[in-house]
Amino acid sequence: MTIQCPTPRHEDERVLLGHGAGGRLTAELLDTLLLPALGVPPGPLEDAAVLPPVGLPVISTDSFVVSPLFFPGGDIGSLAVHGTVNDLAMRGAEPVALAVALIIEEGLPLAQLRSVVESLGKAAAEAEVPVVTGDTKVVGRGAADRLFITTTGVGRRIPALHPSAARARPHDAILLSGPLGLHGTAVLSTREGLGFEADIASDSRPLHRLVRALAPLGGDIHTLRDPTRGGLAATLNEIAAASGTGALIEESAVPVPGPVATACDLLGLDPLQVANEGCLVACVPEARADDVLDAMRGVPEGAAAVRIGRTTAAHPGRVELRTRVGSHRVIDMPLGEQLPRIC
Amino acid sequence: MRYLDEYRDPELAQSLLDRLRRVATRPWRIMEVCGGQTHTLVRQGIDELLPAGLRMIHGPGCPVCVTPLETLDRAMAVAARPEVTFTSFGDMLRVPGTHTDLLSLRARGADVRVVYSPMDAVRIAVAEPDRQVVFLAVGFETTAPANAMAVLHARRLGLANFSVLVSHVLVPPAMTALLADPDCEVQAFLAAGHVCAVMGWRQYEPIAARWRVPIVVTGFEPLDLLEGVLMAVEQLEEGREEVENQYARAVQRAGNRHAQQVVAEVFRITDRTWRGIGPLPASGLELAPAFVSYDAARRFRVMDVRSAEHPECITGAILTGAREPTDCGAYGVRCTPRTPLGAPMVSAEGTCAAYFAAGRTRAAPAGSPP
């Protein structure tokens, strides 16, 4: 019987259960792969990170279980940063620090893990937010789908801003910072091999700079929300429910890129219900709408910002769409996963 | 996008509506046969813009809705088997059978996968030779050619682990059955453009002549529908009963001959029970004798199942246009997309689901602004 060292030496090797057992394999995975990729400076690893005083702290946590791990315009690593940075930003906060937990399925190629974590580290660096603590677990084959990431973000509230879904008021203008449907259709197309990948890339990106640009408008920024899962339809319904206002959206004003519209038409999906990761909805007083649009358009993330409708006192809690042909329909909360239709 | 925009132009829509208002001198009742057209009508609120008295009746053309309950129960029985990978288009997953639906079955451990083409199912069968891969082959004439191609391809590859659960339905027998009903209110039809793209419209000519009913082959964009309605109203006003083609950019009189040949090779016409409507003679397709070895119902011996519709569901009256979804006591209360009692509440093309998604309530019946 020969004893073989189980330590991985080749990039074509895979994550083993032992990589999560807390022993030497775990230490090696951290030292050679995870910490360098995340940009964590060398030094003793403590059980928790001490943060400097952050003014009014804001916290958000989110789990990322996207399949596939890699898609046009991003991957699960960059998404795990952008999603949490954006959740902080939607409460008017800038990110201060991130904590990242990885749940890895046994057998994941180390090369894929490295690629994801490097992307996560790069996204964090670009968002100017350090990863200060984390956790790594390995679960048996079949207990997870390759890799799940949970990201917790601590942020600092920008003093002038206090947006909330509940603060939308009747007669606010509803603004949208970018085109709809890119992330959801990019992921679906890649996952299912539908062939739209060449035309559609996810809009995944951090939005805190866009929100920072709105700081001079202060309390006039009533509501900020990023229309992720459930898309614009879910977000507007959440705002309507939380604030007790109604919303009226102009279909002709909603920016849906051509390839997204085509993909949705073919698959029977509603672009209003498709997920986004790089745009936000803002409710602001009608009188300040142009100022807010100018501020949004002054940063790259908001270059395509448009007004898509207004809030209304006429039908509290209900979202309506004025269709292209001039009729009205209710935009309901999406039920669950959208299922492509038969024909 | 520009291509699509041309068929959604608000000014053109308005001018078509103006023409309709000028042309329509009497109340008329027009049925759009296809669920996709129902979806566009309701989603765009077109039916609410039509001249007063011009009523759209929603037809039986939602393939998800009319798939027989027995077929669904067979599908559940096959999908529950441990050796089976059951494949289906997404919108079939939520349709309730007698006891459960495919989505619930998947949550309990069945290997149920959404595919976007029957060829995807064939590819799974190639990639996973140890699994029995079954494809639920339902729908109208539109999906039949691709399903037939998948069976032919599986035979070419010599696949022993691929089979199909077939329950295709055909549009003309359904139209004939509706017209034969003495209570039928339909005065003109919008025929489904994509069905005619495959089959052409020759088979509609005897229907138009015998029943003296105008039939307009119509597309799916808002302007297609408005133009289709206008053409139908013009015929009604002028006392004509012809088959006309609004959807000339996609449909020819003879249809797609190659697709028809493939369908004729793999399938044969059979009697079919439509969910909610009942048995209609010669209204379905089943596998031809040469292909019965690909019949999943035979392979897994699920021919005999006991099925029972939910007693409260008025699917039949909905699918024949006799009742509106908002007429149903369960609509929006006990029957919602989350808890559908019947198929029309499941598919996006189902009339009840289209009404529900558009926020139509029993308090505000169709025809009044939401």
Side-chain angles (χ1 to χ4, degrees), chain A residues 176-180 203 205 207 225-227 276-281:
Chain A
L176 180 67
S177 70
L180 280 186
D203 61 342
R205 56 185 166 178
L207 296 171
R225 271 287 171 105
D226 55 342
N276 313 276
E277 290 291 347
C279 61
L280 62 79
V281 174

Side-chain angles (χ1 to χ4, degrees), chain B residues 53-266:
Chain B
L54 177 53
R55 186 160 80 87
M56 298 305 296
I57 300 177
H58 311 310
C62 165
V64 175
C65 304
V66 298
T67 297
L69 190 60
E70 290 77 10
T71 301
L72 288 162
D73 287 337
R74 280 183 195 136
M76 305 313 161
V78 172
R81 296 175 70 105
E83 74 273 29
V84 166
T85 294
F86 196 87
T87 61
S88 163
F89 293 126
D91 52 2
M92 292 303 296
L93 297 196
R94 282 202 203 102
V95 187
T98 300
H99 302 295
T100 184
D101 56 71
L102 287 166
L103 218 51
S104 302
L105 217 52
R106 185 170 76 178
R108 290 205 294 269
D111 185 4
V112 177
R113 305 186 198 175
V114 173
V115 291
Y116 297 85
S117 145
M119 291 304 287
D120 292 344
V122 175
R123 279 189 279 275
I124 293 172
V126 171
E128 302 183 34
D130 296 336
R131 305 286 300 162
Q132 279 289 334
V133 179
V134 179
F135 178 70
L136 181 54
V138 298
F140 286 91
E141 293 92 327
T142 330
T143 50
N147 293 344
M149 289 292 292
V151 173
L152 287 175
H153 193 55
R155 186 173 70 170
R156 208 174 299 129
L157 295 173
L159 290 179
N161 66 328
F162 177 80
S163 56
V164 285
L165 198 58
V166 181
S167 188
H168 279 292
V169 279
L170 302 171
V171 171
M175 289 167 67
T176 305
L178 286 169
L179 290 166
D181 183 337
D183 295 331
C184 178
E185 294 190 333
V186 178
Q187 294 169 300
F189 284 103
L190 304 187
H194 52 14
V195 168
C196 296
V198 175
M199 303 304 294
W201 72 79
R202 280 181 300 193
Q203 55 190 330
Y204 295 90
E205 288 169 341
I207 299 176
R210 179 181 166 196
W211 300 95
R212 307 200 62 183
V213 59
I215 300 174
V216 182
V217 178
T218 305
F220 301 87
E221 295 298 328
L223 292 191
D224 287 328
L225 283 156
L226 282 171
E227 192 174 25
V229 172
L230 177 63
M231 290 166 73
V233 170
E234 282 174 342
Q235 284 204 50
L236 290 165
E237 293 280 347
E238 294 165 19
R240 291 185 288 125
E241 51 267 348
E242 300 164 14
V243 181
E244 289 186 311
N245 183 18
Q246 181 278 331
Y247 204 33
R249 66 184 186 277
V251 176
Q252 296 180 333
R253 180 168 178 267
N256 181 330
R257 289 180 192 278
H258 178 63
Q260 292 164 21
Q261 282 164 4
V262 171
V263 170
E265 180 181 357
V266 175

